[in-house]
Structures are given as C-alpha cells and as structure tokens.
Amino acid sequence: MGDYSGDDDDAPHANSGRDGAQNAIALEEEYDPPESSVSSPTSMAKSPTDGSSSAVSPSQDEASSPDVSSRRPSSAKSTASDKEKRKRSRVTPDQLVHLERFFSVDRSPTAARRREISDMLGMQERQTQIWFQNRRAKAKLLDGKSKGRAEVTPPNSPPELRPGYDASLHNLIHENDPVTIIPCSDLTIGTWRRISTSLAKHDLVAYVCENRRCLVWFIHSSGYGFKMEIPFDIIVETEFTNAAPGSGLASFFLSQPPTFYLEDVAPANGHGPAVRSWKRCADWTEGMQATKILRHDLIGSAVQLAHVLRNFQATSSADIRLRSPSYNMRPEQSPALSVEAMPRTLANEAQGWSERPDVLSALDSRKRASFTGQPLVLHPAPNSVDYSVVEDQSHPSHPSQHPSPAPSAYQPYSHMSSASSTSSTYSSTPLYPSEVPDAHHHRQQHPHMMEYTGMSGPQRMYTPQGYPMPQSAPASHSQFGVAPTPSPPILTTPFHSRSELNGMHSSVGIGGHGGGPLLSAPPIMHYDDGLDDRR
Amino acid sequence: MGDYSGDDDDAPHANSGRDGAQNAIALEEEYDPPESSVSSPTSMAKSPTDGSSSAVSPSQDEASSPDVSSRRPSSAKSTASDKEKRKRSRVTPDQLVHLERFFSVDRSPTAARRREISDMLGMQERQTQIWFQNRRAKAKLLDGKSKGRAEVTPPNSPPELRPGYDASLHNLIHENDPVTIIPCSDLTIGTWRRISTSLAKHDLVAYVCENRRCLVWFIHSSGYGFKMEIPFDIIVETEFTNAAPGSGLASFFLSQPPTFYLEDVAPANGHGPAVRSWKRCADWTEGMQATKILRHDLIGSAVQLAHVLRNFQATSSADIRLRSPSYNMRPEQSPALSVEAMPRTLANEAQGWSERPDVLSALDSRKRASFTGQPLVLHPAPNSVDYSVVEDQSHPSHPSQHPSPAPSAYQPYSHMSSASSTSSTYSSTPLYPSEVPDAHHHRQQHPHMMEYTGMSGPQRMYTPQGYPMPQSAPASHSQFGVAPTPSPPILTTPFHSRSELNGMHSSVGIGGHGGGPLLSAPPIMHYDDGLDDRR
DNA sequence: TTCTAATTTAATGTT
DNA sequence: AACATTAAATTAGT
C-alpha cells in the first residue's frame, strides 16, 4: 500500500555504466592492493582491512620533531614504504588544530570545502570526510551529554559558568588566564552587530578575565578568532535591562575604544603543535565602529550578566556606576522599544545578508522580542539576589571582592557628543567599502541607541595608529597558499551558506564560502611585528 | 597520486548543492504509520543493539523449532514506543540471513516480491527496498573490488585456487576446514544436471577438502545451500577428458553414493550472528539419482581438474585409479560423443524448464561443444605436468594423510545391478513426484552414462534411512510461517525469473518464485535431530 | 581503559 | 534504480 516510489518492475540494469569518475569519493579510492590480505574468511564483511586508506601516514617523528613541512606528511605518497597493514593514519596536532577550527565554523563542510581543507592540511579527502563525520558524532555526543546534564542541572544552582565547562570553547579562545564565560547571543556596537547562531557554535563569546581585569568579546568567524578587550577601567557605566525571560541586555559605556586582537596561528613552526597567539591589530569591526562608538550592547543570560555587572561594581575603579539589573519580568508589557529599536539589522540585511532568510528572520524576531522587553529603566540592584562569584573552575577566585561599594547616584555622561559628530567621524576614515553610513543615521532614530553613539576627541586619537589595518597586510602573508585569510567579522553570524553562489571558493578563501557580498571587504591579514599577546 | 581526481579542475561542482535551507528540516517525511519498525528511540543511541537483539533473539530452543513469532521482533512493542524520530531500524540477524538468501537468488526483486519478503520478515517494504538497494551497492563495490584485484593476478601463477580467494564464496560454503576450489561449470549425475550460470554466482561449486578427505559438490539454489560429499575412499576411478580448450570433463566413479547435506540456518540463537551449519539429509537430487548413479561428471577448468585428479592419485586409497588427464587438445576432432550424448538435457527441458530459453540454449550449446571433444579415452597422467599442491592458504595441510595404502588392482563393481533393477529400486521409494524414470532409461542409451547407473544392495541401504526425507518434515517447522523452505536443486541453474507467474508466492515459498513446475516437488525441510555437521 | 580512525549499515536526497 | 552522502552503530588501534 504505502509504497514509496513506484519503483516496481524489474530493472534491466545491464548498464553498469561505472565510474562517474569524478566522484572518487569514496570508499577507498585507491585500493592498491598488492596483496592485501583478504583476511579472515569468516565473513566477507569482516575483512575490510584491505588497503583502504594507505598513504597519509603522518610519520610519527613529526610529533616530536615538528617541521613545518608536516603539513603534507604524505605528499610523496608513492614512497611505497608502506607495507600494507598500515591502517589508521593519525592526524597531526597541527592538523587537528585547523580541523577543529574549521569544524567550529562549519560542522558539515561541503565536499568542495572539504577538498580545500584536505589540500591545506595535506590530508586525503576521505580522511577529512571521516574526521568530520566522527567529529560530528563526538559533538553530538558531547552536547547531547551536556544537554542531558543541563536538564538535570538544578536551575537553582548559582549562575556560574555552565558546569559543562566547554573545553572546546576554552580551546577556542585559548586564553592563558582563567576566564568566566558569559553566555550571550548578540553583540551590538553601533551598526555593527554580531549574532550568535547557537551557543554551541561559539561564534560569539563574551567572557571576563579577572586576572587581566578586562571584559572580552570573542568572535569566531570564518575559522579565525577575533576579540576585543575592554579593560575594566575604561568601563564608565553599565546598564542592564531584562529582555526576554532569562535574557538580558547589558550595555557598557566606555571611556575609550577597546583593544583589538586577531588570532595568529603559527603552523607548528619549529616545534610544538601549532602555536596560536593573539596579535593586536586594528579595529576589525565594520567601519571601525567599535573605535568610535563607545557603547556596547550585549544580550545574554540575565543572571550571568547581572552577576558580572555586579562584580564590576565591586572590583572596578571609582568612576564605575552600576546601573544594576532590573528584574521586573514583564517582557511583553512594555512597548517602549518598538521594532524600530533595531533598525541596524535592516541595514545589515540591505548589505546583502540574505541567505538563509528563514534563520535570519527567526533570529531577528527573537531579537526584537528581546528589545520589546523592559525599557532601559534603571533600578538599583536588588541585594536579595545573591549569586556566588562566577569563576572559571580551576581558577582560585579572589577571596575578597570588595563587597559592593555603595552605588552612587546615577549620573549621565556629559562627554557624549551628538549623533552628527559621529557620522562625520567615521566617514573620515572610509576603510571599508561596505560601510554604510546611512545605517548609522537610521539607527539614531531611537534615543536609546543614539545616546552614546557618537563620541569625539580623545577616543579618535587612539584609533588605528600603531596598529595595522587589515587591508594593509600583504596577501601572501597567509598561512596557506590558498587565498587564505578570513574576512573580518563584519557583521551577522558566520553563515556558511552552502551557497552555490558559484565557485567563489577560489577567490574568497578559507572561511569565505557563502560570505557573499559581505566579503567585498578586503581580508584582514595577520600581522606579526613585535606585538605579541600580552599576559 | 591518482587518488583524488578532479584535484586539478577547480571543482566545477558549484552545484554541490547542500541542503538548500528549506529542506533541511525534512522531518516531515514521516512515511509510515506508527506501526512496525524497530524504532530505536532516537536519543539513546547506545541501546538499540540490546533492543533488537533481545527482542528478537530466538532463544536456543526455537533455533531448533523456529518460531514464527520471531518474525516480528517489534510487533508487540510497536504500539506507543515509537514516539519520536524513528530512525535507523536495525535488521535483526535472522532477518539478515534471509535477506541475504533472497539476495543471492535475486538481487533486484520486484516490488511484489519485496512485499512478500517484507511480510515474511516483518519488515517495512520501504526498509526492504532500501536494504536491497544498499545490498546491491555493496555487491557492486565488492565484486568491483575483487575483479580489479583478479586482473592483477598473474596468469602465470600455479593453478592453485585463485589468489582472489573469493571470500564471499567461502562464506557461502562455510566450511570450517580449508578447501580447494575447483572452478567448474557443469555437474551431471544421471539425468540430474546442474549448470553454473556464471562463476561469479557460485551456484555450482566444486571443491576438495583435504582435511576431511573428500570431494564436495556445492550447490546454491533458491537461497539455500546444498552439498554432497564424496569421500576420497569411495572414488574408485576417475577419468579426465579435455573438452573445450582449457576446459575438461572429469568423471568420478564411486563405490557408494555420496553424503548429502543441507544448509541449516539457525537465526542467531542466543547470541552470535546466525549460525549456519550443514545438516545431513537425504539425497536431494531429482529422483535421488545421486544415490543410484555412481558416476559424476564434472566439467571445469582443465588444469585444476587435472591437478585435483592427480592429487587423488597421490593421496587417496588403494583402489583409486586415476584415469588421468589427456592433454590432446583436439576438441573439435572427435565426434565420438554426438549430440545424443546429452539426451538428459532434453529430458530436463521436457520437465518444464523453459524459462529463460536464451540462457538455457546458450549453455546447452556450450555443453555440447564440451562433449564433442576428446572422447573418454583414458591416458595415464603425464607426470611432466607438475602442479604444486593445491591448498587453501592458511591451511597447514596434514602432513600424513594415510599415505595411500597399497592400491589394489582395479576391480569393477560387481555389485552393480542392471538398469532395470535401478528403476525398481527407486520406484520403491517414490519420494519425488516429479521423478521421471523415463529420463533415466533414456539416458542409458549411452554406454558411458549407463555404466554405473544402476546399483543395488548396500548402497541402497545407505540411502534415506536415518536421514530425513525432505517431505517428512512438518511444514510448520520452517522458520517463517510462510511456505518457507527451498526446493531442492532439482536441476538446472537457479533462475530467479522475476516471474510474475502470478501470485505463487503464497504457496511456493521463499526462494520459489519462478520455480515453475519444478517446484511441484515438495520442499525439503530442515531437519535437526542429533545430526550435526561434522568437522 | 578511553579516544579516535575507519568500517558497515540504514536512510535520505538527487537525478 | 543508481549514486552520493550521511548519521548511527561498530570495529579496531594506540
């Protein structure tokens, strides 16, 4: 009855038209089987030992003696050294680093993308494919596990970082100091906006580094890591507003622009598995807005954000005013922020971010919902809510955290300039072709958004002076010969739009598939002068 | 480095359209009512194994008395359990056994046939269809692989069993002892004849088992395995004649009937995947001719046969006379055996074997050509031809195999009775309705054929006495309730004529589609008393 | 033992 | 139906 495809009728498949040739996928292309042992006659299924994936074997020596050339451990595959049995190639540590990065960007790369990766890393495509498969399986297992745990996690437990303590996340940000993760979903600076696709993907991570006394926004885009650090000392004011239930908007008002970093991956040069370090660089936000606009809006876990802000109040210097969390959970009731509250998203979309409209709109609506919540009313922090100190495990939390100095009265920032000055400011440094000043103006229609939008004077001076602008680096500087460097995280989420927007992979580079028009901005290149990551 | 081709070209597959957003969901498929299906609750990936095995596991007892209920591993539980995404059902071991059998008969069953199978096995039709698809893919892969390997095989290598060492073949015959395959195409015993459709299908396999000191004819028909074993010691004489170039006819003259076996498949009783064993049984040849006619004619590879015969000479007991290979390659010159030499095929055809006349006639003409070759002249074995011992690899051949007791002089069998006695003999046990005594008489026109045709006395005693006749087993004894067991390999090749001969499936049973009139013989049933396969 | 590379199988989607 | 591809499950190797 419910036959699924007509399909009946016997097939006169005399064709055996073998070999699409192109595919090669497969199951072992290259069964070069001089004598591969059919192995046990027990069952035909059992003896897959035959030469499936020969080649590759990254010789083990490179584990210890790392030689950059390890990238292509098997380039001269014809060595014939391999007897037969050699199954199980090992992925080298540096290969692993990159694989993990690629994975964090796109868990299911297309065949074409896999091929790129394979070329870059000197792996067989089959290997790469299998690696991703297994990695996906592992990931699913892991976050299935963590999820299962999360469900079991008592909701009353203190808002420390998730018990899960995502190791891959910490590997991603590779900070040497302990950090406290702040789950977040959305970061907005001016018209520049970054949306996290899912918490699991870690494309947007906020965290606090107590040791270095700074807040950090980490962004993972196109396989590369970006971050900006905000020293506690330049945070002049914070605001907190409840948005959706459980979710809050924290606004940080700075006295100076943050410091920008870019991940530098030295492919196992000399020895040791691929050194990744943070290199200081120029503002990589679109239009360098983060240099000009000193207000940062972060949407994330209400309790965690509240806790972080409260902590600020305790530890940061004198002029910090904690505007405090407000816990009136009435998200739908206050239409203070209408849809127009987020006009910048429209601007972003106008820039060509149209792929996956379904997801986009979904996220957008979610975001709007966030902003339709409580307006930015300032309440004093309810002391009744007592959260323990949020600390990274393995991190000895500072015992005395200056138990909340008396919050002084709210004092608005007088040094803010008008919106008009803002527009003039950044139009004077037209570094990004994709820059859209209009969006900026548009945004200013809402008072909450424009309030701290413009800023003048001293901050401007700080901007890209000693630090390289992305465009200035030579293209040949990339790690791989293959049109390498990532585009800066201009905006939006890193969507690997399986795009078929044509064969753009050759020109766009590593993480660039699907970037679309956004990638018209010149790629950021690594810059490694004396500036190294401080710590 | 031909491994990943297409490397050079710039991946023109912009088409590699990955999920186009919308389809990603695709959960809507929901192609079936929540009925059967093993349905592993998706989340707990680890457990499906236990679920399937435990649910199905035919306990020990029902291995002997195959319970029909095992057919539906999930029938009872099917109710509410399958909540969510019913993914990845697993085919149970016993289902698998039967699927493999069906597959061996017909790789591409029609939709109707699939439906039968699905019903029998308690699978969804969709599952069955997919299983066959995947199985075909696997088969293609496999024999593509083996073929590629076979081509590499040096043709100059000694006529040992092919280096290919067809694992599937060995799986098919599942002998515990090492064996030496004798490629062959045609086996004739009296009017009973078995033609191999192609070597690849393994529907007729001859092999030598040195350990057990016997020759074996293995037949795969209708998904079931049959074999008869001929102990070296009962081979009183052999003949060899060249037939077509490279092909020879070996005749074996026995002192007793061979021993008959039937494959018994115990569907994974208790644990372990489906135990297949050889059960002794009654003569399954048409009219039990193999019990009465002690001459076996085997056509196969000349060199291999010659080698085997020569080996006999060395290892077998006294009264064996090797009539020897004659290597006069003059196939066309001796019309000693005319077309009338093979009247039995006509008889066979008269019995209704008319399907696929194209193939039949083709084979027939080939066979005739074989017999028009050198007449059965007996030459001494040319010692100049020295073949190394044919042994299965990985088999430590027994050093001392009763080093041939002193061969006594050839003594013709005096106890053989006339043809008339023969007819009376087997008419006294009219077990096979389809038995055709006429054919027998007909056959006797040829001296070579009639020489050992009749036999009496002791051999008769050996016949189906302690061994079950196929008919004697109760029909309910089958594993499936559905007219289960195979017909004996009455004659001819196992042709799965996608028959559409109408809905005969309900009565004929598992492998029976397309059997046509031949299936009028009652099916052989499994018999499992104390007799187990010896080894 | 755990982890991971590789294999096998059921299923899906595409053509 | 073939074909490619994948998720799920399993098998091994270190």
Side-chain angles (χ1 to χ4, degrees):
Chain A
M1 305 308 180
D3 192 325
Y4 300 102
S5 34
D7 76 27
D8 42 31
D9 148 65
D10 51 352
H13 39 285
N15 53 3
S16 74
R18 265 311 282 201
D19 102 87
Q22 77 291 8
N23 54 12
I25 319 166
L27 321 121
E28 34 222 285
E29 56 279 47
E30 150 134 356
Y31 31 84
D32 49 329
E35 62 166 48
S36 64
S37 87
V38 177
S39 80
S40 59
T42 60
S43 72
M44 56 187 193
K46 231 44 254 126
S47 62
T49 49
D50 57 354
S52 61
S53 70
S54 54
V56 175
S57 100
S59 54
Q60 60 279 37
D61 53 7
E62 64 190 347
S64 59
S65 109
D67 177 36
V68 181
S69 62
S70 66
R71 275 179 48 217
R72 276 216 158 258
S74 67
S75 62
K77 86 169 198 100
S78 60
T79 55
S81 64
D82 42 312
K83 272 298 167 207
E84 262 321 318
K85 285 309 172 190
R86 203 235 287 92
K87 271 169 99 78
R88 196 176 184 77
S89 58
R90 297 290 297 190
V91 60
T92 65
D94 53 325
Q95 281 173 329
L96 184 60
V97 169
H98 294 293
L99 285 170
E100 286 288 356
R101 264 233 311 278
F102 296 138
F103 179 81
S104 72
V105 177
D106 183 0
R107 294 184 164 199
S108 301
T110 65
R113 176 100 185 102
R114 278 202 310 265
R115 205 164 66 81
E116 287 179 50
I117 296 175
S118 304
D119 285 348
M120 280 189 281
L121 270 47
M123 296 170 66
Q124 289 187 294
E125 287 181 59
R126 175 68 173 158
Q127 263 187 297
T128 307
Q129 176 181 267
I130 286 176
W131 189 90
F132 274 94
Q133 273 180 188
N134 287 324
R135 190 62 187 76
R136 277 193 297 269
K138 179 181 174 184
K140 175 176 290 187
L141 211 74
L142 253 51
D143 50 48
K145 199 171 292 182
S146 69
K147 199 173 295 177
R149 190 165 300 169
E151 293 171 353
V152 184
T153 300
N156 53 358
S157 63
E160 302 172 347
L161 70 166
R162 302 196 285 281
Y165 181 75
D166 192 335
S168 69
L169 170 55
H170 284 73
N171 177 51
L172 203 59
I173 60 180
H174 58 86
E175 292 284 1
N176 296 295
D177 301 300
V179 300
T180 301
I181 305 295
I182 307 170
C184 64
S185 60
D186 186 303
L187 173 66
T188 303
I189 303 170
T191 68
W192 182 86
R193 184 182 177 195
R194 190 79 197 173
I195 301 171
S196 171
T197 50
S198 80
L199 262 60
K201 291 195 68 170
H202 303 318
D203 43 6
L204 171 61
V205 182
Y207 56 90
V208 180
C209 179
E210 296 285 350
N211 285 9
R212 302 212 320 273
R213 290 180 49 75
C214 63
L215 254 180
V216 185
W217 314 145
F218 169 87
I219 281 156
H220 196 218
S221 175
S222 304
Y224 283 84
F226 301 84
K227 72 173 178 180
M228 64 177 84
E229 293 187 351
I230 303 164
F232 291 168
D233 293 340
I234 70 168
I235 301 175
V236 291
E237 187 173 345
T238 60
E239 280 182 6
F240 181 87
T241 312
N242 269 297
S247 166
L249 162 67
S251 299
F252 300 87
F253 303 94
L254 316 181
S255 62
Q256 298 176 17
T259 315
F260 303 92
Y261 295 89
L262 194 137
E263 190 179 42
D264 183 42
V265 181
N269 52 356
H271 54 285
V275 178
R276 293 180 302 155
S277 60
W278 285 109
K279 299 283 186 204
R280 201 158 161 188
C281 71
D283 184 351
W284 34 256
T285 61
E286 178 200 14
M288 298 180 63
Q289 293 184 67
T291 306
K292 293 165 272 180
I293 298 165
L294 297 179
R295 172 188 180 146
H296 294 204
D297 290 309
L298 185 71
I299 297 176
S301 158
V303 285
Q304 302 250 15
L305 279 176
H307 177 266
V308 167
L309 295 195
R310 189 159 167 281
N311 237 31
F312 277 168
Q313 193 178 29
T315 64
S316 61
S317 59
D319 52 352
I320 300 300
R321 289 293 170 275
L322 173 57
R323 290 291 187 94
S324 86
S326 78
Y327 279 98
N328 343 8
M329 289 302 201
R330 289 170 303 170
E332 286 83 346
Q333 292 184 1
S334 305
L337 291 183
S338 65
V339 173
E340 287 83 6
M342 301 293 284
R344 53 198 182 285
T345 56
L346 300 178
N348 292 343
E349 286 174 12
Q351 290 189 19
W353 199 62
S354 57
E355 313 141 20
R356 306 290 289 237
D358 45 346
V359 176
L360 174 57
S361 59
L363 285 171
D364 247 13
S365 62
R366 184 155 56 90
K367 242 29 92 188
R368 288 192 199 96
S370 301
F371 278 87
T372 55
Q374 188 71 340
L376 299 179
V377 182
L378 309 178
H379 294 178
N383 275 338
S384 60
V385 179
D386 181 45
Y387 295 116
S388 59
V389 176
V390 176
E391 283 297 325
D392 191 340
Q393 307 119 316
S394 77
H395 166 50
S397 62
H398 293 197
S400 69
Q401 290 283 18
H402 309 223
S404 40
S408 62
Y410 165 69
Q411 44 173 308
Y413 280 82
S414 55
H415 63 267
M416 289 186 302
S417 64
S418 69
S420 61
S421 71
T422 297
S423 63
S424 65
T425 321
Y426 76 72
S427 62
S428 65
T429 44
L431 295 167
Y432 282 91
S434 62
E435 204 172 53
V436 189
D438 312 326
H440 203 191
H441 292 295
H442 188 201
R443 181 183 179 281
Q444 297 166 358
Q445 295 174 350
H446 192 280
H448 287 292
M449 290 300 172
M450 64 188 296
E451 201 164 14
Y452 298 96
T453 294
M455 52 92 188
S456 64
Q459 291 78 2
R460 282 293 294 107
M461 302 317 294
Y462 180 84
T463 357
Q465 237 41 342
Y467 306 123
M469 286 312 291
Q471 302 77 355
S472 61
S476 62
H477 200 205
S478 83
Q479 305 199 2
F480 303 127
V482 196
T485 48
S487 307
I490 299 282
L491 53 88
T492 78
T493 60
F495 253 124
H496 51 282
S497 67
R498 290 81 189 276
S499 60
E500 2 315 354
L501 290 182
N502 59 37
M504 62 192 316
H505 57 274
S506 62
S507 62
V508 172
I510 286 180
H513 61 300
L518 288 182
L519 292 173
S520 58
I524 291 179
M525 304 313 292
H526 294 175
Y527 188 91
D528 36 17
D529 51 3
L531 290 170
D532 206 332
D533 60 342
R534 56 169 179 173
R535 51 180 165 132
Chain B
M1 56 116 52
D3 43 12
Y4 31 91
S5 63
D7 197 328
D8 45 355
D9 73 343
D10 181 61
H13 34 283
N15 52 2
S16 66
R18 287 185 31 135
D19 57 331
Q22 76 289 8
N23 63 6
I25 300 305
L27 299 176
E28 63 194 0
E29 185 57 67
E30 196 53 341
Y31 49 89
D32 88 334
E35 208 278 298
S36 59
S37 99
V38 180
S39 91
S40 61
T42 172
S43 51
M44 22 78 79
K46 263 296 129 295
S47 52
T49 48
D50 61 359
S52 64
S53 65
S54 66
V56 170
S57 82
S59 54
Q60 180 62 28
D61 51 6
E62 68 185 349
S64 60
S65 90
D67 187 354
V68 184
S69 64
S70 69
R71 279 174 46 217
R72 283 210 158 262
S74 64
S75 60
K77 59 161 296 198
S78 64
T79 58
S81 64
D82 40 19
K83 261 282 183 272
E84 313 157 5
K85 44 187 69 178
R86 152 254 299 107
K87 271 180 99 91
R88 199 172 183 81
S89 59
R90 291 291 284 192
V91 63
T92 64
D94 53 327
Q95 282 173 330
L96 182 60
V97 169
H98 295 290
L99 284 170
E100 285 289 355
R101 268 227 312 275
F102 296 139
F103 179 80
S104 72
V105 177
D106 182 0
R107 293 185 163 199
S108 300
T110 64
R113 177 97 185 106
R114 280 202 309 267
R115 215 161 61 84
E116 289 176 48
I117 296 175
S118 304
D119 284 349
M120 281 188 280
L121 301 183
M123 296 170 66
Q124 292 184 269
E125 287 180 56
R126 174 64 174 165
Q127 266 185 293
T128 307
Q129 175 181 286
I130 287 176
W131 189 90
F132 274 93
Q133 278 180 183
N134 286 325
R135 189 61 187 76
R136 276 192 297 271
K138 177 182 175 183
K140 175 178 290 188
L141 211 75
L142 253 50
D143 49 49
K145 196 174 297 185
S146 69
K147 201 172 295 176
R149 189 163 301 171
E151 293 171 352
V152 184
T153 300
N156 53 358
S157 61
E160 303 171 346
L161 71 167
R162 304 194 285 280
Y165 182 75
D166 192 335
S168 68
L169 170 55
H170 284 72
N171 178 50
L172 204 58
I173 61 179
H174 58 86
E175 293 284 1
N176 297 295
D177 301 300
V179 300
T180 301
I181 304 295
I182 308 170
C184 65
S185 60
D186 186 303
L187 172 65
T188 303
I189 304 171
T191 68
W192 183 84
R193 185 180 176 198
R194 190 79 198 173
I195 301 171
S196 171
T197 51
S198 81
L199 263 60
K201 290 196 69 171
H202 302 318
D203 44 5
L204 171 62
V205 181
Y207 56 89
V208 180
C209 180
E210 296 286 349
N211 283 10
R212 301 213 320 273
R213 292 179 48 75
C214 63
L215 256 180
V216 185
W217 315 145
F218 169 88
I219 281 155
H220 195 218
S221 174
S222 302
Y224 283 84
F226 301 85
K227 72 173 177 180
M228 64 178 84
E229 292 188 355
I230 302 164
F232 291 168
D233 292 340
I234 70 168
I235 301 175
V236 290
E237 187 171 344
T238 60
E239 281 182 6
F240 182 87
T241 310
N242 269 298
S247 166
L249 164 65
S251 299
F252 300 86
F253 302 95
L254 315 181
S255 62
Q256 297 176 18
T259 315
F260 302 91
Y261 294 90
L262 195 137
E263 191 179 42
D264 183 41
V265 181
N269 52 357
H271 53 284
V275 178
R276 291 181 305 155
S277 60
W278 285 110
K279 299 285 185 204
R280 203 158 159 187
C281 71
D283 184 350
W284 34 255
T285 61
E286 178 199 12
M288 298 180 63
Q289 294 185 66
T291 306
K292 292 166 273 180
I293 297 166
L294 298 179
R295 174 188 179 144
H296 293 205
D297 290 310
L298 185 70
I299 296 176
S301 158
V303 285
Q304 301 250 15
L305 278 175
H307 178 265
V308 167
L309 295 194
R310 186 157 167 284
N311 236 32
F312 278 167
Q313 190 176 31
T315 63
S316 61
S317 60
D319 50 354
I320 299 301
R321 287 292 169 276
L322 175 56
R323 290 290 187 94
S324 84
S326 78
Y327 280 96
N328 346 7
M329 289 300 202
R330 292 170 301 171
E332 288 83 342
Q333 292 184 0
S334 305
L337 291 184
S338 64
V339 174
E340 286 82 4
M342 302 293 285
R344 52 200 184 283
T345 55
L346 300 177
N348 292 345
E349 287 173 343
Q351 289 188 20
W353 198 60
S354 58
E355 311 145 17
R356 306 290 289 235
D358 46 343
V359 174
L360 174 58
S361 59
L363 285 171
D364 246 13
S365 62
R366 183 154 56 88
K367 240 31 89 188
R368 288 193 198 94
S370 301
F371 277 87
T372 56
Q374 187 71 337
L376 301 178
V377 181
L378 310 177
H379 293 176
N383 275 339
S384 61
V385 180
D386 180 46
Y387 293 117
S388 60
V389 175
V390 176
E391 282 295 326
D392 191 341
Q393 311 110 316
S394 78
H395 163 51
S397 60
H398 291 197
S400 69
Q401 284 285 19
H402 312 220
S404 29
S408 60
Y410 165 68
Q411 41 175 314
Y413 281 83
S414 54
H415 60 269
M416 287 188 302
S417 64
S418 68
S420 61
S421 71
T422 298
S423 64
S424 66
T425 321
Y426 75 71
S427 61
S428 67
T429 43
L431 296 166
Y432 282 90
S434 63
E435 204 171 53
V436 189
D438 313 327
H440 202 189
H441 292 295
H442 188 200
R443 183 182 178 283
Q444 296 166 358
Q445 294 174 352
H446 193 280
H448 287 291
M449 290 301 171
M450 64 187 298
E451 202 162 14
Y452 297 96
T453 295
M455 53 92 188
S456 64
Q459 290 77 6
R460 279 298 289 105
M461 304 316 294
Y462 180 83
T463 356
Q465 235 42 339
Y467 305 123
M469 286 313 290
Q471 302 78 352
S472 62
S476 63
H477 200 205
S478 83
Q479 308 203 357
F480 301 126
V482 197
T485 47
S487 306
I490 300 283
L491 54 88
T492 78
T493 60
F495 254 121
H496 49 281
S497 67
R498 290 79 187 280
S499 57
E500 0 313 4
L501 289 182
N502 61 34
M504 64 189 314
H505 54 275
S506 62
S507 62
V508 171
I510 287 179
H513 65 298
L518 288 183
L519 292 173
S520 58
I524 292 179
M525 305 312 293
H526 293 176
Y527 188 91
D528 34 17
D529 50 4
L531 291 170
D532 205 331
D533 59 342
R534 57 173 177 172
R535 41 158 162 178

